[in-house]
């Protein structure tokens, strides 16, 4: 097994992708709306397709804008349908994101079917193809274009969460208190939704709209098994995300060699790794299944 | 300016109606709460007690009506208000410590984007000491008992340093020691001239705890100083035909010798 520059580029994009997703994912998890990540990652498709049809280019600010609009619309529609249609939130989310996703697929098949935005890639991404699209930075250093896109998204997410850390925390923990203190939890909600939408679009090319859900949710969920301190939770999510991506690509390379199997996909392996790490932590971690048997959690003392 | 709601009242409610799914929960409420009172809001389940607090704080939409805080709309008077929601309204598995939660009470004065500093933490520590759980500051909140969690909420209200405290069932499901600590704290606030509004369930303690009483059942049944308001007739009107409850009422009245 040899480690080439191509492998380095694929892993870099994977790591940046997973880390960018873990940040908004942490707050989705804390707000108990993890499935909103699922909904938005699918629902951004019509936004992307329309932006693509208007601008004609596959990567542009239009696509981010279209995705952000579609993401916020998903959150809005979900709320309206559950409120006025009197169906529960889960059902209303199911109605909204499947419809939007279907519209997006039709738009792509009809309007952009002959260009390099195809439906299969939408679902699974094409991490292996990332090194084919290189750009030169710092005069002579070549980097995958995707690394720049997703890297900037990671920085953007870091900046937003760093900037609004206290506001996100209070709005997620106690929206009533946030509202009475004038911190507009609904605004914070839509900022988070925008962040999720922008991140899923940036991650789209590399990992597609399904694998991205694993990257949004599983690393934070794993970190949540290990700590009850928010800053550490965020840090651990980032580390677990990066670790899964690296291990994912390593196993993608190793498995065919060891077992004599055909090539597998890196993004798929990265998502699988997040799942395996979760399982291991769940079994072996401090709150894990194995340690919990035997020593019961101590009861909080009364005063 | 409305003549029937002069600005010296910390809380004045005018013609307030709130409805969920077209069913009214509060119907045409008119209310003045005088300054410096420790006021209980009492009524049967579903009477709209929590709804009244939330509507005053713009947490749920009003169908009609107006709420004035010292004669001005709530929006302009946020600084004067502290809100203690029901304990079950938040996720106690959230990854924050007791100190973090109390520090949230300082966010309003801190403003957007500014970071929590030593001064805020110091204030939060003092408030935790005041409610008797200073030693639990670094505990993750799921590791606290129900009573301790309620004390954390109270400490958070204390650091808000408000003029009017809205409290939604602070005595619900707490141990006797905590109940005693909470009432002492409320009386302390009251002694410093603050106004406290408190949704309350236990009729037996009403006349001991509160000097002002609001009896609520979709409408205001009665409102005024507790001695005049806490009568058998008013309670019967408030609790209606709920007979088993009326026995409790009789018991409660017997306890205060009326």
């Amino acid at each position: 097994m040899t480690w080439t520059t191509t492998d380095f580029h694929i892993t870099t994009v994977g790591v940046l992708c997973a880390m960018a997703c873990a940040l908004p994912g942490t707050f989705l998890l804390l707000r108990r709306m993890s499935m909103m990540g699922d909904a938005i990652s699918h629902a951004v498709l019509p936004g992307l397709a329309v932006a693509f049809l208007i601008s004609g280019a596959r990567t542009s600010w239009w696509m981010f804008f279209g995705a952000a609009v579609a993401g916020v619309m998903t959150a809005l529609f979900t709320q309206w349908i559950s409120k006025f249609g009197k169906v529960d939130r889960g059902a209303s989310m199911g109605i909204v994101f499947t419809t939007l996703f279907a519209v997006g697929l039709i738009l792509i098949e009809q309007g952009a079917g002959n260009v390099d935005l195809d439906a299969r890639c939408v679902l699974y991404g094409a991490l292996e193809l990332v090194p084919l699209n290189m750009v030169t930075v710092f005069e002579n250093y070549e980097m995958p274009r995707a690394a720049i896109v997703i890297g900037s998204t990671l920085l953007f997410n870091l900046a937003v969460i760093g900037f609004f850390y206290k506001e996100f925390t209070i709005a997620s923990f106690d929206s009533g208190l946030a509202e009475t203190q004038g911190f507009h939890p609904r605004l914070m909600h839509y900022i988070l939704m925008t962040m999720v939408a922008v991140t899923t679009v940036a991650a789209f090319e590399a990992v597609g709209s399904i694998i991205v859900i694993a990257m949004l949710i599983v690393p934070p969920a794993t970190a949540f098994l290990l700590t009850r301190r928010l800053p550490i939770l965020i840090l651990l999510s980032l580390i677990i995300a990066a670790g899964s991506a690296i291990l994912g690509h390593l196993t993608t390379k190793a498995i065919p060699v060891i077992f004599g199997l055909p090539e597998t996909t890196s993004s798929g392996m990265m998502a699988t790794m997040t799942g395996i790490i979760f399982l291991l932590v769940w079994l072996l971690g401090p709150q894990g299944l194995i340690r919990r048997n035997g020593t019961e959690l101590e009861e909080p003392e009364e005063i | 300016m409305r003549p029937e709601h002069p600005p010296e009242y910390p809380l004045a409610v005018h013609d307030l109606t709130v409805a969920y799914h077209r069913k009214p929960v509060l119907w045409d409420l008119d209310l003045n709460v005088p300054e410096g009172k420790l006021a209980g809001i009492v009524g049967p389940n579903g009477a709209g007690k929590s709804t009244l607090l939330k509507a005053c704080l713009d947490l749920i939409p009003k169908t009609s009506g107006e709420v004035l805080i010292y004669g001005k709309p709530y929006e302009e008077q946020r600084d004067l208000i502290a809100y203690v929601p029901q304990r079950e309204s938040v996720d106690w598995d959230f990854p924050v410590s007791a100190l973090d939660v109390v520090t949230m009470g300082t966010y309003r004065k801190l403003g957007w984007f500014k970071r929590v500093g030593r001064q805020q933490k110091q204030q939060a520590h003092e408030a935790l000491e005041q409610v008797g759980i200073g030693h639990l500051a670094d505990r993750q909140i799921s590791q606290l008992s129900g009573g301790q969690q309620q004390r954390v909420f109270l400490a958070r209200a204390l650091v808000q340093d408000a003029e009017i405290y809205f409290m939604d069932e602070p005595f619900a499901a707490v141990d006797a020691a905590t109940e005693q600590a909470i009432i002492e704290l409320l009386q302390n606030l009251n002694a410093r001239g603050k106004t406290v509004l408190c949704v309350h369930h236990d009729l037996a303690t009403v006349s001991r705890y509160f000097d002002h009483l609001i009896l609520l059942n979709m409408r205001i049944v009665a409102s005024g100083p507790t001695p005049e308001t806490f009568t058998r007739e008013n309670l019967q009107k408030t609790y209606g035909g709920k007979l088993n409850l009326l026995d409790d009422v009789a018991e409660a009245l017997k306890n205060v010798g009326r």
Side-chain angles (χ1 to χ4, degrees):
Chain A
M1 191 175 93
T2 49
W3 188 260
T4 62
T5 326
T6 309
D7 291 318
F8 174 69
H9 286 152
I10 290 176
T11 312
T12 308
V13 173
V15 166
L16 291 173
C17 225
M19 287 169 75
C21 289
L23 286 172
T26 303
F27 282 94
L28 283 179
L29 181 88
L30 291 180
R31 304 185 64 132
R32 307 200 166 211
M33 45 185 0
S34 300
M35 287 322 276
M36 206 64 198
D38 184 4
I40 286 181
S41 74
H42 284 81
V44 292
L45 199 59
L48 282 183
V50 169
F52 178 72
L53 292 176
I54 293 173
S55 70
R58 207 178 45 156
T59 316
S60 66
W61 291 107
W62 280 108
M63 292 191 90
F64 280 99
F65 182 70
V69 171
V72 170
M73 267 165 53
T74 313
L76 272 178
F77 286 161
T78 303
Q79 208 158 28
W80 288 345
I81 291 181
S82 77
K83 191 171 167 192
F84 297 114
K86 290 179 188 164
V87 289
D88 89 290
R89 253 188 98 77
S92 132
M93 205 185 285
I95 295 165
V96 174
F97 89 81
T98 47
T99 309
L100 286 174
F101 184 67
V103 170
L105 273 184
I106 293 169
L107 282 174
I108 285 179
E109 290 294 339
Q110 292 301 312
N114 53 346
V115 228
D116 56 356
L117 189 75
D118 77 280
R120 215 181 72 84
C121 172
V122 162
L123 290 178
Y124 314 117
L127 195 53
E128 283 76 14
L129 302 182
V130 154
L132 296 181
N133 192 347
M134 304 292 282
V135 288
T136 308
V137 288
F138 305 126
E139 311 222 338
N140 55 5
Y141 185 71
E142 282 223 312
M143 256 176 111
R145 195 187 45 82
I148 294 174
V149 174
I150 194 73
S152 327
T153 311
L154 173 60
L155 289 179
F156 170 77
N157 287 352
L158 274 173
V160 172
I161 288 183
F163 217 52
F164 290 109
Y165 180 75
K166 138 173 150 281
E167 288 77 6
F168 269 127
T169 311
I170 190 172
S172 305
F173 175 63
D174 189 343
S175 65
L177 180 78
E179 181 72 52
T180 56
Q181 296 212 41
F183 285 113
H184 310 297
R186 217 164 295 153
L187 174 69
M188 299 317 298
H189 175 68
Y190 288 115
I191 291 177
L192 180 63
M193 294 302 121
T194 308
M195 199 154 65
V196 172
V198 167
T199 309
T200 48
V201 174
F204 224 74
E205 190 179 5
V207 296
S209 69
I210 294 181
I211 304 291
V212 75
I213 304 161
M215 295 190 161
L216 279 169
I217 301 309
V218 190
T222 312
F224 197 69
L225 294 175
L226 292 168
T227 181
R228 285 290 189 278
R229 289 270 184 270
L230 188 50
I232 299 171
L233 181 74
I234 294 173
L235 193 71
L236 273 179
S237 302
L238 289 172
I239 293 170
I240 292 167
S244 319
I246 294 168
L247 281 175
H249 189 64
L250 277 175
T251 40
T252 313
K253 300 239 339 153
I255 283 178
V257 177
I258 298 168
F259 299 102
L261 295 170
E263 282 280 307
T264 164
T265 78
S266 290
S267 58
M269 253 347 258
M270 287 175 183
T272 311
M273 272 304 146
T274 61
I276 291 174
I277 292 176
F278 178 85
L279 193 70
L280 288 176
V281 170
W282 180 64
L283 287 172
L284 307 172
Q287 306 271 315
L289 198 64
I290 290 171
R291 287 220 207 148
R292 204 162 42 199
N293 287 343
T295 54
E296 283 295 309
L297 280 178
E298 67 177 295
E299 286 282 311
E301 78 211 43
E302 283 292 337
I303 31 170
Chain B
M1 197 58 55
R2 297 183 180 278
E4 68 274 35
H5 300 294
E8 64 263 26
Y9 286 112
L11 175 70
V13 175
H14 182 72
D15 281 352
L16 175 70
T17 295
V18 176
Y20 281 133
H21 296 302
R22 310 192 58 77
K23 277 198 204 100
V25 182
L26 295 175
W27 187 259
D28 201 21
L29 254 60
D30 253 284
L31 182 66
N32 284 330
V33 179
E35 191 172 41
K37 294 291 177 194
L38 185 46
I41 302 175
V42 172
N45 286 329
K49 304 184 292 289
S50 296
T51 307
L52 172 59
L53 290 195
K54 287 181 186 158
C56 289
L57 301 174
D58 273 351
L59 294 174
I60 49 171
K62 298 191 255 298
T63 308
S64 66
E66 184 174 20
V67 172
L68 298 171
I69 306 292
Y70 283 110
K72 287 187 193 149
Y74 162 72
E75 193 59 40
E76 298 166 27
Q77 305 280 54
R78 281 181 197 275
D79 288 330
L80 303 181
I81 285 162
Y83 172 50
V84 178
Q86 281 184 24
R87 191 152 49 85
E88 309 90 79
S89 71
V90 306
D91 174 11
W92 290 95
D93 255 338
F94 202 86
V96 285
S97 66
L99 188 74
D100 293 333
V101 174
V102 179
T103 313
M104 288 179 190
T106 65
Y107 286 8
R108 169 85 188 155
K109 292 206 169 68
L110 204 55
W112 285 81
F113 311 128
K114 296 233 186 62
R115 303 210 154 261
V116 173
R118 190 174 297 162
Q119 193 199 341
Q120 284 76 28
K121 292 213 167 133
Q122 184 61 35
Q123 279 177 320
H125 254 299
E126 281 162 18
L128 277 171
E129 292 291 346
Q130 236 177 308
V131 298
I133 52 169
H135 59 296
L136 299 175
D138 290 325
R139 278 272 181 101
Q140 201 278 326
I141 51 174
S142 65
Q143 301 285 308
L144 300 171
S145 72
Q148 290 163 350
Q149 290 175 345
Q150 193 64 58
R151 288 176 193 229
V152 168
F153 262 14
L154 277 161
R156 188 178 70 180
L158 288 180
V159 298
Q160 285 187 264
D161 191 26
E163 290 303 317
I164 313 167
Y165 291 79
F166 287 78
M167 307 206 167
D168 204 344
E169 300 211 28
F171 300 109
V174 298
D175 52 289
T178 301
E179 176 146 354
Q180 193 52 41
I182 295 174
I183 192 64
E184 276 166 21
L185 208 86
L186 298 190
Q187 281 160 352
N188 188 287
L189 286 172
N190 187 235
R192 284 158 50 203
K194 316 281 186 183
T195 307
V196 180
L197 268 110
C198 190
V199 172
H200 192 59
H201 246 126
D202 182 14
L203 288 173
T205 50
V206 164
S207 50
R208 254 193 303 139
Y209 288 177
F210 304 108
D211 58 0
H212 194 90
L213 189 62
I214 297 154
L215 290 171
L216 184 73
N217 192 353
M218 201 164 84
R219 306 156 196 266
I220 302 279
V221 177
S223 158
T226 308
E228 289 119 69
T229 316
F230 195 59
T231 63
R232 168 173 284 274
E233 195 197 347
N234 279 339
L235 286 171
Q236 236 152 12
K237 272 197 250 166
T238 313
Y239 286 86
K242 290 176 185 160
L243 289 171
N244 52 340
L245 261 167
L246 277 181
D247 293 338
D248 295 347
V249 172
E251 191 62 31
L253 288 172
K254 206 166 65 195
N255 283 347
V256 296
R258 211 177 304 256

